[in-house]
Amino acid sequence: MEQYTVTGMSCAACSARVEKAVSGVKGVTSCSVSLLTNSMGVEGTASAEEIIAAVREAGYGASLKKGSNHQTAQLSSEEDALKDRETPVLKKRLLASLGFWLALMYFSMGHMLWGWPLPPFFNGNHVAMGLLQLLLTVIVMVINQKFFISGFKSLWHRAPNMDALVALGSAAAFIYSTFALFAMTDAQVKGRMDAVMVYMDEFYFESAATILTLITLGKMLEARSKGKTTDALKGLMKLAPKTATLLRDGAETTVPIEQVAKGDIFVVRPGENIPVDGIVCEGTSAVDESTLTGESIPVDKSAGSMISAGTLNQSGFLRCEATRVGEDTTLSQIIQMVSDAAATKAPIAKVADKVSGVFVPTVIAIAVVTVIVWLIAGQTVGFALARGISVLVISCPCALGLATPVAIMVGNGMGAKNGILFKTAVSLEETGKVRIVALDKTGTITQGQPRVTDILPAEGMSEAELLSIAYALEKKSEHPLARAINQRAEQDGLAAAEVEQFQALPGNGLTAQLNGSNLLGGSCQFISGQLAVSETMKASSEKLSEEGKTPLFFAKDGALCGIIAVADTIKEDSPRAISEMRNMGIHVVMLTGDNERTAKAIGAKAGVDEVIAGVLPDGKESVIRQLQQKGKVIMVGDGINDAPALTSADIGIAIGAGADVAIDAADVVLMKSSLSDVPAAIRLSRATLRNIHENLFWAFIYNTIGIPLAAGVFIPLLGWQLNPMFAAAAMSLSSFSVVTNALRLNFFRMHDSKRDHTIKNTTVKKETKPMTKTLKIEGMMCGHCEMHTKKALEAVDGVASAEVSHKTGTAVVTLEKEVANEVLKKAVADQGYKVTDIQ
């Protein structure tokens, strides 16, 4: 996406005009214009010259935002684009306008209404009074000439904007008042004093000046508030250090950040910000990464650790090698992502854009009709004109145009501050609408690294002895489960004995010689084929398997030493995060390649609604497509082997991105590996969408009520009459109120689940968990015994399926309805076997 800076836009009608003009250029596939940041994002093959020419032809200015290979140049360019230049200019205009407006109000209203004293020259001299009001009004109009230049320019291009409404309203009041002044002068010359007093009442000079002054006030308040909506993005930009301390020929040299190249060695002292992404070569420290991840606890760094630009070195001296510089740093990519998102449009904005495109011409037509109707009704020209002017100045397309982008910008900034990056406005809007969340098990729900969970030594063997034998055997294995045992042994301070004749055997087994003793390790099935395993140990193994753990058996010289269970443990916050999502009315599904028994055990611990087991990495995409038939789906994965599934889901969320924020397949990127950020992202999306709805509601309601009120529809009904000055005040406050409402999102607590609103999930029917019973059976000796028992149990009314094993002496029966234990016992007994227990 190419980004452009657009100048001259003042309201939503302007942005709609620019968007329409650029979209018509051959080769442009998409265009979105942001009134908030005065920027435009364009995709397609059209050249920059063609696009800029189209914008100029529409009556506005445009220039290509200059990219850079250097971080400082890029960030300063972005920061410069977001700099609030409007507020200081508008503030000067407002102060100058106020000075002359107050003088005008003193002479026009103060003397007439409250009898404030006037210089003797003006006593009884109505023409002089009128000329003074005209002069003061002209000065206010000159100060605010931008309204007239922009407004009449837009009329010339047949694309009237908000400035056109202000210019027409103010000009109409001024021209009519000037006509009244000349008519009054003529009447005074002719001595018709009764006519002089009539024309005095027809002066609207103060209305013309008040309209301009109040709308300038509203514009200033709006500009000031708009500036605050980009505070989060500007805060990120300020994190980037301007210099770095490089080591060159053994000496420290401070250089501008753009001179740092990949491979340079730089040093960071305590209290300094890290200048570029790199890897620690020497030193240890605690680094505060909260600016990027939102995690307040500092992260320990040592040799080999990765560090990111913009993070704060808190305690130690670090010597590092630069790995990513300029626009490739994590910080630069985050800023670019947030900036790109601001340049895109949410689908909900399209309604406001369509209205804004025809809003101003419609209002002008309504104002003309209003004047004509009141004249036909027998009212004076002054009265009819006042109603028409009120219609022009109360109408506000800005509130409609700002309703969506200000909320999107604030929501995006809030997400970035907390390590949640929405790539587009669409992803921010759509995330809160999902009904199903599919979670990849490994690395998302679980840690992604197996850990030792249980050590069960055989009789006469200690835990340390069992672990030492396992460590000696697994030390030479490359299997992930072996690494879990090695890590636990190293944590316990054990030394690995050197083994000989190490072999990895078919059937998940290991063998080696240690000081003349034969060591064996492997699965229950493998060890059972090598030596006798007690029923107690088999039962323990079965229980561990049911809990989703992998039991590994170890033996020495033909005697069983014990079992060590290894499992990919669930992250601490996963059950809470899943519970929060379910409380929000979301159907949570776990995808895993594990067997069904292991998967269900982990799913039960995590608290998911549904488990889909046996899913290979390349099969996740088809599962997502099946889930999409039930509703909108979020897929959460690590972004490595989940790319097809992330892409095919309605919203793809990459979790634990860390420095790799530019994951193409994901719509939302989570910097941390915490699953709690998923419900937080959904919460933030819902809050942003709610804020947009509020803004659009008030913008539409304001115009729906305000225009009829200004036109005088309520005068015959309720006697309500709106002065053009009050209409201008209402218009100036409408945009300000919309922007202020959006700023409330800065106080939204996205990790607070207390105020979660459950959205009833009608797209997914909760599946009732099947009832199961486990039968302990004696007498089964072979596969034929299993088959007979299985057939007998599945023939019982109410039994859906039966999984029978003669090795473990069990039958796991899945029931469709309640079946009495005696019925199950009789079915087994009829086959010649005995049921000893039912659980």
Side-chain angles (χ1 to χ4, degrees):
M1 178 189 286
E2 289 283 358
Q3 288 204 35
Y4 296 78
T5 301
V6 182
T7 57
M9 296 191 300
S10 61
C11 72
C14 297
S15 59
R17 169 75 174 168
V18 173
E19 197 166 301
K20 185 179 179 181
V22 175
S23 297
V25 175
K26 189 177 180 181
V28 172
T29 54
S30 73
C31 171
S32 60
V33 180
S34 172
L35 178 64
L36 178 66
T37 57
N38 291 317
S39 63
M40 173 175 68
V42 181
E43 291 182 356
T45 56
S47 67
E49 290 76 17
E50 291 176 304
I51 290 166
I52 291 170
V55 175
R56 283 178 180 163
E57 201 171 320
Y60 306 91
S63 60
L64 187 63
K65 285 188 181 179
K66 303 217 182 272
S68 173
N69 291 327
H70 299 301
Q71 185 178 3
T72 300
Q74 182 201 16
L75 295 183
S76 62
S77 171
E78 291 280 357
E79 200 167 354
D80 192 53
L82 292 174
K83 190 175 180 182
D84 183 7
R85 293 184 180 83
E86 278 189 274
T87 304
V89 173
L90 287 167
K91 192 174 181 181
K92 286 180 183 177
R93 264 174 55 188
L94 177 64
L95 290 174
S97 299
L98 276 172
F100 290 101
W101 175 77
L102 287 170
L104 174 61
M105 295 305 287
Y106 182 93
F107 285 101
S108 64
M109 307 289 285
H111 172 68
M112 293 176 65
L113 295 180
W114 299 292
W116 291 352
L118 291 175
F121 174 75
F122 290 105
N123 286 330
N125 193 339
H126 301 299
V127 173
M129 179 74 78
L131 286 171
L132 178 62
Q133 290 182 37
L134 181 145
L135 178 64
L136 290 171
T137 304
V138 167
I139 294 171
V140 173
M141 291 171 79
V142 170
I143 291 169
N144 294 284
Q145 61 185 282
K146 191 182 176 189
F147 287 122
F148 296 96
I149 295 169
S150 171
F152 290 123
K153 193 176 178 182
S154 70
L155 285 170
W156 179 259
H157 284 95
R158 289 175 297 176
N161 57 13
M162 189 208 79
D163 290 344
L165 296 177
V166 176
L168 286 172
S170 182
F174 177 78
I175 291 167
Y176 179 74
S177 301
T178 304
F179 166 78
L181 175 60
F182 279 106
M184 183 187 74
T185 306
D186 181 65
Q188 186 164 328
V189 169
K190 293 178 179 178
R192 293 166 51 207
M193 297 309 296
D194 55 335
V196 168
M197 298 312 296
V198 170
Y199 285 122
M200 275 287 289
D201 291 337
E202 295 294 305
F203 283 177
Y204 286 99
F205 287 120
E206 74 281 355
S207 292
T210 302
I211 288 167
L212 296 171
T213 304
L214 286 178
I215 288 175
T216 301
L217 170 65
K219 283 277 186 184
M220 192 206 73
L221 292 173
E222 179 190 319
R224 195 172 177 182
S225 299
K226 276 163 64 177
K228 289 181 181 178
T229 64
T230 57
D231 280 352
L233 189 52
K234 286 185 278 194
L236 283 172
M237 291 173 182
K238 287 175 183 175
L239 294 175
K242 301 294 185 285
T243 60
T245 305
L246 299 184
L247 275 180
R248 288 179 175 169
D249 301 323
E252 293 185 10
T253 308
T254 301
V255 300
I257 198 73
E258 59 265 26
Q259 292 184 17
V260 181
K262 187 177 177 181
D264 281 349
I265 303 298
F266 63 92
V267 296
V268 189
R269 289 181 170 77
E272 293 180 350
N273 276 3
I274 293 165
V276 295
D277 288 9
I279 185 168
V280 178
C281 302
E282 184 184 318
T284 58
S285 180
V287 175
D288 181 0
E289 296 183 339
S290 60
T291 51
L292 300 187
T293 65
E295 182 59 64
S296 58
I297 300 170
V299 180
D300 291 330
K301 302 289 182 180
S302 58
S305 299
M306 302 301 294
I307 54 173
S308 297
T311 55
L312 178 66
N313 180 25
Q314 288 194 329
S315 55
F317 179 87
L318 295 175
R319 188 168 67 86
C320 316
E321 179 185 343
T323 56
R324 295 200 292 194
V325 299
E327 60 187 12
D328 294 327
T329 65
T330 305
L331 178 62
S332 292
Q333 290 181 33
I334 290 172
I335 290 167
Q336 189 61 46
M337 197 177 292
V338 176
S339 180
D340 284 348
T344 61
K345 281 198 174 174
I348 195 171
K350 290 176 182 175
V351 178
D353 286 348
K354 284 179 181 177
V355 173
S356 299
V358 297
F359 185 85
V360 177
T362 304
V363 168
I364 293 172
I366 292 171
V368 171
V369 170
T370 298
V371 173
I372 293 170
V373 167
W374 281 114
L375 288 173
I376 293 171
Q379 290 292 343
T380 64
V381 174
F383 182 90
L385 196 61
R387 304 289 73 75
I389 292 168
S390 295
V391 169
L392 289 172
V393 297
I394 201 170
S395 308
C396 190
C398 281
L400 284 172
L402 289 170
T404 302
V406 289
I408 292 289
M409 176 60 88
V410 178
N412 242 317
M414 278 293 291
K417 279 165 63 177
N418 288 274
I420 300 170
L421 306 175
F422 295 91
K423 285 192 175 180
T424 63
V426 177
S427 59
L428 179 54
E429 179 182 335
E430 294 298 316
T431 298
K433 296 179 180 179
V434 295
R435 293 291 175 265
I436 303 167
V437 172
L439 304 172
D440 181 41
K441 187 206 79 173
T442 306
T444 302
I445 295 176
T446 64
Q447 298 285 358
Q449 295 178 339
R451 298 277 188 274
V452 172
T453 58
D454 301 86
I455 301 177
L456 306 176
E459 195 173 339
M461 177 80 60
S462 69
E463 285 191 8
E465 286 174 319
L466 172 58
L467 191 56
S468 294
I469 290 168
Y471 187 26
L473 190 57
E474 299 284 10
K475 182 71 175 174
K476 292 193 175 184
S477 173
E478 294 297 323
H479 197 280
L481 300 183
R483 286 199 291 273
I485 291 174
N486 296 341
Q487 188 179 30
R488 173 60 184 270
E490 288 163 7
Q491 283 177 358
D492 290 0
L494 300 179
E498 194 63 36
V499 297
E500 299 172 341
Q501 299 177 31
F502 174 83
Q503 273 187 294
L505 303 174
N508 298 321
L510 301 173
T511 181
Q513 294 287 321
L514 176 62
N515 300 328
S517 298
N518 185 40
L519 302 184
L520 278 177
S523 63
C524 178
Q525 186 177 0
F526 172 77
I527 294 294
S528 296
Q530 306 291 324
L531 51 91
V533 178
S534 68
E535 289 300 320
T536 305
M537 280 296 187
K538 283 183 180 179
S540 298
S541 171
E542 187 72 22
K543 185 182 177 187
L544 291 168
S545 295
E546 288 173 359
E547 293 173 358
K549 301 170 184 176
T550 302
L552 301 174
F553 287 70
F554 294 93
K556 182 178 179 181
D557 291 333
L560 186 66
C561 298
I563 302 172
I564 296 179
V566 176
D568 185 5
T569 53
I570 293 174
K571 294 176 186 175
E572 286 184 18
D573 69 330
S574 290
R576 179 169 57 84
I578 290 165
S579 174
E580 287 178 7
M581 284 188 275
R582 294 181 66 192
N583 289 339
M584 293 161 82
I586 293 169
H587 185 78
V588 185
V589 181
M590 184 183 84
L591 309 183
T592 176
D594 292 341
N595 63 66
E596 195 159 344
R597 184 167 64 175
T598 303
K600 284 186 174 177
I602 295 170
K605 279 186 181 178
V608 298
D609 293 297
E610 184 181 348
V611 174
I612 302 178
V615 182
L616 297 175
D618 57 356
K620 290 176 185 174
E621 185 180 4
S622 61
V623 172
I624 293 297
R625 294 197 185 283
Q626 289 171 12
L627 289 172
Q628 283 175 318
Q629 295 173 6
K630 302 175 184 177
K632 287 192 174 183
V633 177
I634 282 179
M635 170 65 194
V636 186
D638 57 15
I640 299 167
N641 62 356
D642 300 319
L646 290 173
T647 305
S648 62
D650 295 286
I651 295 291
I653 298 182
I655 191 169
D660 300 316
V661 295
I663 297 173
D664 293 333
D667 302 293
V668 184
V669 178
L670 307 181
M671 298 289 288
K672 301 196 292 285
S673 290
S674 172
L675 194 59
S676 294
D677 282 346
V678 176
I682 295 169
R683 244 178 245 122
L684 178 59
S685 171
R686 289 183 178 180
T688 304
L689 195 58
R690 190 163 55 245
N691 192 280
I692 291 170
H693 285 150
E694 290 166 0
N695 288 344
L696 287 173
F697 173 79
W698 288 115
F700 276 112
I701 285 294
Y702 164 81
N703 284 295
T704 303
I705 296 175
I707 291 174
L709 177 63
V713 171
F714 299 107
I715 292 175
L717 300 173
L718 302 168
W720 293 353
Q721 183 174 319
L722 191 65
N723 187 291
M725 291 187 287
F726 292 110
M731 181 189 191
S732 67
L733 291 174
S734 61
S735 297
F736 173 68
S737 62
V738 164
V739 178
T740 305
N741 185 52
L743 288 172
R744 288 192 308 113
L745 281 171
N746 281 314
F747 304 103
F748 179 69
R749 291 181 290 182
M750 65 184 71
H751 287 97
D752 184 4
S753 61
K754 292 177 183 175
R755 296 185 179 181
D756 281 348
H757 297 290
T758 301
I759 297 176
K760 191 174 180 182
N761 200 337
T762 57
T763 57
V764 180
K765 292 181 180 178
K766 300 277 183 179
E767 295 181 11
T768 55
K769 293 186 178 180
M771 296 180 290
T772 60
K773 289 186 178 184
T774 303
L775 287 66
K776 296 287 185 182
I777 303 172
E778 286 184 354
M780 294 191 297
M781 304 295 291
C782 64
H784 291 290
C785 301
E786 287 180 3
M787 183 179 66
H788 291 305
T789 307
K790 179 180 173 70
K791 281 186 177 180
L793 287 169
E794 289 181 346
V796 174
D797 182 36
V799 175
S801 63
E803 296 296 326
V804 184
S805 171
H806 76 277
K807 292 179 181 177
T808 57
T810 59
V812 179
V813 180
T814 303
L815 305 175
E816 293 174 334
K817 61 182 181 180
E818 188 61 47
V819 179
N821 289 349
E822 296 305 318
V823 175
L824 297 174
K825 283 182 179 180
K826 184 177 183 304
V828 175
D830 288 345
Q831 301 301 314
Y833 311 109
K834 183 182 178 183
V835 177
T836 58
D837 186 30
I838 297 181
Q839 295 177 349

